[in-house]
Amino acid sequence: MSKIGLLTLHFGANYGGTLQCIALYKILKGYGHEVDVIDFKPEYICSPFKRLLYNVSSLRSFKDLLGLFKRKSSASYNVLNQNLCHIFDVHRHQQLSFTKSCNETSIAEIAKSYEVVVVGSDQVWSSLVRTHLSYMGDWTPSFIGNLYSYAACATTLKFPFVRKHKIKNLLCKFCAISVRDEYSKKFVQQFIPKNNIRIDLDPTLLYSFDEIIPSKTVLVKYILVYVLGKEIPGGNKKAIDRLKNLIDKNIKVIALTIYEENVSYADETIKNASPSEWMWYIKNAQFVFTDSFHGEVFSIKFNKDFYVYYVEENRASRIIDLSHLFHVEDRMITNVEDINGSFKKQIDRDDFKKAKEASLSYLKEIK
C-alpha cells in the first residue's frame, strides 16, 4: 500500500468541496493506503500585468471580450456566514488527517514525503491565471512520485494561450488522468488529445456517509432549497409557489444557505448546518430545488425528486453533463415555466451502479 497525499479544494464553507474530499479520503484509506489531505491554500496571484495578459490571451473572439466585461460589471456578492467557516473547520478536522499548512512555495517540500499525490476532485483545473498552476503539479522542485488526478473538473475550455506549452507539460506528468465530466475531458484534450482520459463519478457518489449522517427524526415534510447563485428567470419565489401547488400548498419550505441573509421565500432559513446536517436535509426532503452541482449529486444519490437550474455559465457544464449521465434531463430547467412536476424518466440505478463500479476500479489501481 502507498502513502498518499490528497490535493483538492478542501477549504472554506463549501459543502460539496468538503464532502468530496472526505469521500475520496475515506475510500483511499479503505483500500489500505496511508492518506493525508495536503493542507494547501493558494496565496500568490499574478501581477496585474500578467493577469491582464492571461485573461486577454484566453479570449477567442470579440464576443468573449464583451462577456469578460459583462461578468465583471454584473457581479454581485452575498455576505458569507463567518460562523459557518468555523463549523466547517471543526467538521473537517473530525474526519480528515492533514499535513501542515503550505502554499505555492512550500507545497513541494510537503509532497516529497508521499509516494503518490492524487489531485481532485472538484474544480481544481478552473483557475489558470495564477502564478503557479499548483493543482497541475507546478511545484519546485518537481514531484518525483506518482501523480494521478481523480474526477478533476474544469469550468471553461478557454485558457491563456501563452501558457499552453506549460499546461501541456504539466498534464503529461500525470500517470493517469480522470476527469468529472465530458466538458473537462474536452479541456484536457486540447493539450494531450491522444491520452486515455477517463470520466469518473464525483467521489460523493461512491461513498455512503452512513456513519456521519445524523439519525434524527423527520418532524415535518418540506421542500428543500439550496441556491448559491442568481435566481432562475421568473424568480425563485414564483418557482417555489409553483412547486407548492404541485406538491402541497401547505408544505414547509426550508432553505439552506452559506450566507448571512435569510432566504425571503422560505419559511425557515438554516445558516449553520454542518456538512453532515446538510446531507440529512437533502436525504429527508420531499423535493429539492437547487442550482448547485452537489445539490443535484446528492439528490441523485438519495433518489430524491428535484429540479436543478443554472444561470451562470461556470455552473452550466457540470450540471448538464451530470443530468445527461443519469438521463434526468427533464429535471434540469431554465425558467419557472418549465416546472410542471412530470418527470419522464426515473434515475437509472443500474447506470449508477455501473458508473460507480468503474470509478472504484480506477481508484483501486492507484499506487
Side-chain angles (χ1 to χ4, degrees):
M1 295 295 105
S2 301
K3 189 175 182 184
I4 296 179
L6 179 56
L7 178 62
T8 187
L9 303 175
H10 65 280
F11 48 85
N14 183 318
Y15 290 108
T18 297
L19 291 170
Q20 63 82 21
C21 180
I22 291 171
L24 192 49
Y25 172 89
K26 301 273 190 181
I27 291 166
L28 292 171
K29 279 187 72 71
Y31 291 149
H33 300 294
E34 182 183 342
V35 186
D36 296 311
V37 176
I38 298 175
D39 194 16
F40 168 73
K41 297 184 179 72
E43 289 184 7
Y44 299 101
I45 59 175
C46 293
S47 66
F49 172 76
K50 274 194 173 181
R51 182 165 282 263
L52 177 63
L53 173 65
Y54 291 155
N55 277 320
V56 170
S57 70
S58 297
L59 304 177
R60 300 294 182 263
S61 66
F62 182 68
K63 183 179 178 181
D64 287 345
L65 180 61
L66 291 177
L68 177 65
F69 284 113
K70 184 178 179 181
R71 289 194 299 275
K72 296 292 186 184
S73 62
S74 65
S76 60
Y77 302 95
N78 293 314
V79 179
L80 183 66
N81 179 1
Q82 294 302 316
N83 184 49
L84 194 58
C85 295
H86 173 70
I87 291 171
F88 270 78
D89 283 340
V90 171
H91 194 276
R92 276 188 289 263
H93 282 87
Q94 288 172 343
Q95 300 297 328
L96 302 166
S97 169
F98 288 94
T99 67
K100 68 178 182 180
S101 184
C102 59
N103 59 20
E104 290 87 342
T105 58
S106 57
I107 187 173
E109 183 66 24
I110 296 292
K112 74 179 186 181
S113 63
Y114 294 93
E115 301 163 271
V116 175
V117 169
V118 177
V119 178
S121 173
D122 222 355
Q123 302 169 54
V124 287
W125 291 343
S126 293
S127 180
L128 301 174
V129 296
R130 286 183 171 272
T131 301
H132 304 278
L133 300 178
S134 301
Y135 291 101
M136 289 183 175
D138 184 18
W139 316 325
T140 304
S142 297
F143 182 59
I144 61 172
N146 292 332
L147 188 61
Y148 294 83
S149 74
Y150 180 77
C153 179
T155 58
T156 178
L157 298 180
K158 301 183 183 72
F159 61 90
F161 186 77
V162 294
R163 307 193 94 178
K164 183 173 184 177
H165 185 69
K166 180 184 184 73
I167 295 170
K168 178 179 179 178
N169 285 343
L170 290 170
L171 290 175
C172 284
K173 293 180 181 179
F174 281 78
C175 297
I177 291 181
S178 159
V179 296
R180 196 167 64 179
D181 50 53
E182 190 66 40
Y183 197 81
S184 300
K185 182 176 180 179
K186 289 178 182 177
F187 167 78
V188 175
Q189 285 177 324
Q190 295 177 107
F191 308 98
I192 45 175
K194 295 181 181 180
N195 203 335
N196 185 22
I197 304 160
R198 302 171 49 93
I199 297 177
D200 287 294
L201 294 180
D202 187 270
T204 57
L205 287 166
L206 308 180
Y207 188 71
S208 71
F209 296 101
D210 286 345
E211 81 284 7
I212 65 172
I213 298 177
S215 57
K216 59 185 180 180
T217 304
V218 182
L219 298 178
V220 295
K221 293 182 178 180
Y222 58 90
I223 295 171
L224 183 71
V225 175
Y226 179 60
V227 170
L228 296 172
K230 297 179 181 178
E231 293 199 359
I232 193 170
N236 283 7
K237 183 183 185 307
K238 186 175 179 180
I240 294 303
D241 287 343
R242 285 178 73 103
L243 271 179
K244 291 176 72 173
N245 286 332
L246 290 167
I247 300 169
D248 177 354
K249 289 183 180 180
N250 297 313
I251 194 170
K252 187 173 184 178
V253 178
I254 296 177
L256 292 172
T257 183
I258 62 173
Y259 304 119
E260 290 284 1
E261 298 84 1
N262 286 327
V263 176
S264 61
Y265 50 87
D267 298 307
E268 181 181 359
T269 301
I270 296 172
K271 304 177 184 179
N272 294 312
S274 70
S276 293
E277 291 169 328
W278 182 85
M279 288 188 288
W280 183 91
Y281 277 104
I282 294 178
K283 187 175 183 179
N284 292 286
Q286 287 290 110
F287 200 99
V288 178
F289 179 78
T290 186
D291 69 341
S292 156
F293 170 78
H294 278 104
E296 181 179 12
V297 163
F298 278 89
S299 297
I300 291 171
K301 180 181 182 70
F302 296 140
N303 209 18
K304 298 280 103 179
D305 283 336
F306 68 91
Y307 275 128
V308 61
Y309 75 90
Y310 59 87
V311 176
E312 292 96 337
E313 182 182 354
N314 68 333
R315 297 184 190 279
S317 61
R318 57 192 184 274
I319 287 173
I320 292 169
D321 278 3
L322 182 67
S323 300
H324 288 330
L325 177 64
F326 290 107
H327 310 295
V328 289
E329 296 90 343
D330 52 348
R331 306 180 186 220
M332 183 173 56
I333 58 176
T334 57
N335 59 69
V336 169
E337 303 306 317
D338 291 337
I339 297 175
N340 54 34
S342 61
F343 299 135
K344 297 175 183 177
K345 300 176 183 177
Q346 293 300 308
I347 297 168
D348 191 325
R349 309 314 289 185
D350 286 337
D351 280 357
F352 191 170
K353 183 179 179 181
K354 290 175 185 176
K356 180 177 178 179
E357 288 173 350
S359 295
L360 288 172
S361 178
Y362 171 78
L363 289 173
K364 286 177 183 177
E365 296 300 315
I366 290 177
K367 57 185 178 179

